[in-house]
């Protein structure tokens, strides 16, 4: 089922022609209306007239998170402030936040993109969407809300938290689509199970989960416990919010809304563009955003792009699941480690849950990793020797996945902190400044 067939099924030749025209218009706009970009382009020796083909995109300098922070709060707006009707912001937990501004046109585009995502998940005008992403400055809740209203679906603006009420509303209103972070979906699933509900009792048919990295193993866990089909969604405040890309029923990559966003893959070290299919850092450009256009933004997310047509009928470029971030990878004992590798290994072993915590320390000279993993309620009653066997199996699986040894600690069910937003999976207590 396709929401906008003209845009989502366009031939690659027509799409590239459209992208070039939109890109040329966008660089001209920011050069004339955003002093930050005029200076950045001039310093790099680039003029908008130099963009004659899509291959010329490589001549344009990148935009980084630090650039956006330096322009805080409104330094990148391309329209007068009285044309901005909505603001969102990153958390700013690692520095100055990034503020993103939206015109009426931008909100319409956002609703179109998240509307496509809802349709990909099987949503219709008859759907009741339980929107359990956070509302407020975070883009998750409002983004899905805009999409639901665009498609005509009924939206229940639950936001995150108050899980008991989440369950009551879900069951009473017969919600058929759940939207939230995957870690919160798993928490809701656990809570429903404790309340005596089986997957067959739950009215949900589909889930749209994002805002944090998650693995295929996590997907299977959620689908089994909630009895639904789960769809990955991708977005970031700097671009728009959720809806930049989303999965269809094929679950084989996320369709980028490439009539609104231009995607590239670069080598994060050399900054050179990589060929189709190779893995590297995702770079995105907003092609239609009016309020705060962003050119060649380095997302830091690691993925690859697939240009083949999807069996669903869409011809939009697909991005593979994010496997990590170029700035969030952990260097432990000289080895680069992504938390997703550890999660994948854990969920290949029976007897444990998807709740874990990676704790990295450096008590003396060498790094040490402890992975705390919750065991399932059934395993909790096992004899000690069975738990020791399980612990050794997990240590071997993780060692095989990341190439270094870890200490696994099996902990009681429900003993690790739960998240109603983005899950915290890593605590790094090394003082790496010394």
């Amino acid at each position: 089922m396709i929401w906008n067939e003209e845009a989502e099924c366009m031939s690659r030749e027509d799409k590239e022609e459209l992208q070039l025209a939109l890109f040329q218009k966008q660089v001209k706009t920011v050069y004339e209306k955003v002093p930050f970009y005029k200076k950045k382009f001039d310093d790099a020796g680039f003029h908008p007239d130099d963009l004659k083909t899509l291959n010329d995109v490589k001549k344009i300098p990148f935009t980084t998170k630090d650039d956006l922070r330096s322009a805080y709060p409104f330094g990148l707006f391309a329209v007068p402030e009285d044309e901005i009707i909505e603001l969102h912001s990153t958390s700013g937990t690692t520095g100055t936040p990034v503020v993103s501004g939206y015109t009426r046109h931008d909100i319409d585009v956002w609703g179109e993109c998240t509307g496509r995502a809802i349709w990909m998940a099987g949503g219709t005008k008859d759907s009741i969407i339980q929107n359990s992403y956070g509302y407020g400055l975070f883009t998750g809740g409002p983004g899905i809300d805009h999409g639901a209203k665009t498609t005509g679906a009924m939206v229940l603006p639950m936001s995150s938290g108050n899980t008991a009420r989440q369950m009551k509303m879900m069951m009473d209103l017969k919600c058929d689509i759940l939207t939230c972070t995957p870690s919160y979906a798993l928490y809701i699933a656990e809570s429903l199970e404790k309340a005596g509900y089986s997957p067959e009792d739950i009215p949900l048919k589909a889930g749209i989960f994002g805002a944090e990295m998650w693995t295929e193993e996590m997907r299977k866990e959620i689908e089994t416990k909630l009895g639904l089909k789960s769809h990955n969604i991708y977005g970031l405040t700097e671009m728009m919010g959720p809806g930049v890309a989303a999965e269809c029923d094929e679950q084989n990559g996320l369709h980028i809304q490439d009539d609104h966003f231009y995607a590239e893959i670069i080598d994060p070290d050399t900054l050179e563009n990589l060929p189709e299919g190779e893995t590297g850092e995702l770079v995105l450009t907003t092609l239609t955003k009016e309020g705060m256009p962003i050119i060649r933004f380095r997302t830091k997310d690691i993925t690859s792009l697939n240009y083949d047509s999807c069996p669903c009928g869409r011809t939009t470029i697909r991005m593979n699941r994010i496997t990590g971030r170029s700035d969030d990878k952990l260097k432990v004992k000289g080895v680069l480690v992504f938390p997703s590798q550890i999660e994948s290994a854990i969920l290949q072993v029976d007897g444990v849950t998807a709740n874990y915590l990676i704790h990295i320390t450096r008590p003396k000279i060498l790094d040490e990793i402890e992975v705390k993993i919750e065991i399932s309620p059934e395993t909790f009653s096992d004899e000690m020797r069975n738990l020791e066997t399980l612990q050794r199996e997990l240590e071997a699986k993780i060692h095989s996945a990341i190439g270094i040894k870890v200490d696994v600690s099996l902990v009681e069910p429900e003993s690790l902190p739960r998240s109603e937003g983005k899950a915290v999976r890593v605590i790094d207590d090394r003082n790496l400044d010394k």
Side-chain angles (χ1 to χ4, degrees):
M1 188 164 58
I2 297 173
W3 170 250
N4 186 336
E5 188 169 350
E6 181 181 359
E8 297 179 75
C9 302
M10 191 181 298
S11 72
R12 185 168 178 182
E13 293 76 17
D14 288 346
K15 181 64 64 66
E16 289 180 349
E17 184 179 339
L18 173 66
Q19 288 178 322
L20 177 59
L22 292 172
F23 215 132
Q24 289 170 328
K25 180 182 177 182
Q26 197 75 297
V27 294
K28 186 174 186 293
T29 295
V30 299
Y31 189 76
E32 294 174 351
K33 297 184 176 181
V34 184
F36 166 85
Y37 272 117
K38 184 178 190 310
K39 182 178 187 306
K40 195 171 190 66
F41 289 180
D42 287 345
D43 289 348
F46 172 80
H47 188 274
D49 292 342
D50 297 333
L51 182 60
K52 301 183 187 307
T53 71
L54 286 177
N55 195 50
D56 293 331
V57 166
K58 293 182 286 189
K59 300 175 182 178
I60 305 174
F62 296 106
T63 304
T64 67
K65 190 103 167 189
D66 286 341
D67 289 332
L68 303 188
R69 287 170 174 157
S70 68
Y72 176 86
F74 302 145
L76 287 176
F77 285 5
V79 300
E81 287 178 31
D82 62 3
E83 292 184 31
I84 299 293
I85 65 167
E86 190 165 319
L87 290 172
H88 289 281
S89 173
T90 59
S91 64
T93 54
T94 56
T96 304
V98 173
V99 171
S100 186
Y102 305 74
T103 64
R104 165 52 59 192
H105 166 268
D106 295 337
I107 295 299
D108 290 343
V109 168
W110 196 3
E112 167 71 16
C113 291
T114 48
R116 294 179 193 178
I118 289 168
W119 232 245
M120 285 185 212
T124 69
K125 293 179 180 179
D126 297 324
S127 295
I128 302 177
I129 301 172
Q130 181 162 333
N131 188 7
S132 299
Y133 284 112
Y135 278 70
L137 286 177
F138 176 57
T139 57
I144 295 295
D145 197 284
H146 293 317
K149 290 169 181 172
T150 296
T151 60
M154 185 187 297
V155 62
L156 179 64
M158 288 297 299
S159 196
S160 57
N162 199 340
T163 305
R165 192 177 185 199
Q166 298 266 4
M167 294 190 296
K168 177 174 175 55
M169 299 301 282
M170 178 189 296
M171 303 305 293
D172 290 353
L173 302 183
K174 307 298 180 190
C175 300
D176 58 336
I177 297 178
L178 174 66
T179 65
C180 61
T181 62
S183 55
Y184 191 44
L186 198 58
Y187 182 41
I188 291 174
E190 290 176 346
S191 301
L192 285 165
E193 187 176 12
K194 282 175 61 180
Y197 295 106
S198 69
E200 292 74 27
D201 300 324
I202 301 170
L204 298 174
K205 296 177 182 176
I208 302 175
F209 306 128
E212 63 187 20
M213 284 180 289
W214 53 308
T215 60
E216 283 300 312
E217 290 77 12
M218 175 75 87
R219 185 208 295 275
K220 292 173 187 173
E221 186 91 355
I222 293 171
E223 290 186 338
T224 299
K225 289 182 177 295
L226 287 176
L228 51 69
K229 188 159 190 175
S230 62
H231 297 256
N232 202 348
I233 191 169
Y234 174 79
L236 55 170
T237 303
E238 294 84 356
M239 290 289 104
M240 179 180 73
V244 172
E247 274 184 331
C248 66
D249 268 347
E250 296 295 323
Q251 296 179 322
N252 187 25
L254 293 84
H255 291 269
I256 296 176
Q257 310 305 340
D258 53 13
D259 53 330
H260 296 291
F261 305 95
Y262 185 78
E264 308 168 67
I265 297 292
I266 64 167
D267 182 312
D269 297 319
T270 67
L271 306 185
E272 296 295 322
N273 283 67
L274 296 176
E276 177 182 334
E278 290 199 18
T279 298
E281 181 184 330
L282 179 66
V283 172
L284 290 171
T285 295
T286 60
L287 295 176
T288 59
K289 197 171 184 187
E290 291 181 340
M292 187 173 145
I294 302 294
I295 309 297
R296 297 197 82 198
F297 179 66
R298 291 189 59 186
T299 69
K300 301 292 186 175
D301 291 324
I302 302 299
T303 185
S304 59
L305 300 179
N306 180 355
Y307 290 76
D308 295 338
S309 294
C310 181
C312 75
R314 294 175 179 84
T315 57
T316 43
I317 296 169
R318 281 172 289 153
M319 56 180 276
N320 290 314
R321 180 184 291 277
I322 301 295
T323 56
R325 288 179 55 82
S326 60
D327 59 349
D328 276 358
K329 56 182 178 279
L330 306 168
K331 193 165 188 179
V332 185
K333 297 181 180 179
V335 176
L336 294 178
V337 175
F338 288 109
S340 59
Q341 294 173 294
I342 295 177
E343 177 178 299
S344 180
I346 291 170
L347 292 177
Q348 292 173 33
V349 178
D350 293 331
V352 295
T353 73
N355 296 301
Y356 65 93
L357 184 66
I358 302 167
H359 188 201
I360 309 173
T361 57
R362 184 178 289 173
K364 295 181 181 177
I365 299 175
L366 299 178
D367 297 332
E368 294 183 4
I369 302 184
E370 178 190 21
V371 184
K372 296 181 179 180
I373 307 170
E374 279 187 16
I375 57 178
S376 65
E378 298 78 17
T379 307
F380 184 57
S381 60
D382 278 356
E383 295 181 4
M384 183 62 69
R385 62 176 177 273
N386 294 333
L387 296 179
E388 290 173 351
T389 300
L390 177 60
Q391 179 182 3
R392 288 194 296 271
E393 182 182 0
L394 285 161
E395 288 176 342
K397 275 283 187 185
I398 296 172
H399 184 196
S400 176
I402 66 175
I404 55 178
K405 291 183 178 180
V406 303
D407 294 319
V408 166
S409 296
L410 299 178
V411 300
E412 296 181 13
E414 301 181 38
S415 61
L416 293 178
R418 296 299 193 267
S419 172
E420 295 175 345
K422 294 187 180 184
V424 176
R425 300 294 193 190
V426 179
I427 296 176
D428 192 342
D429 280 335
R430 295 174 294 175
N431 186 351
L432 300 181
D433 294 331
K434 289 186 177 180

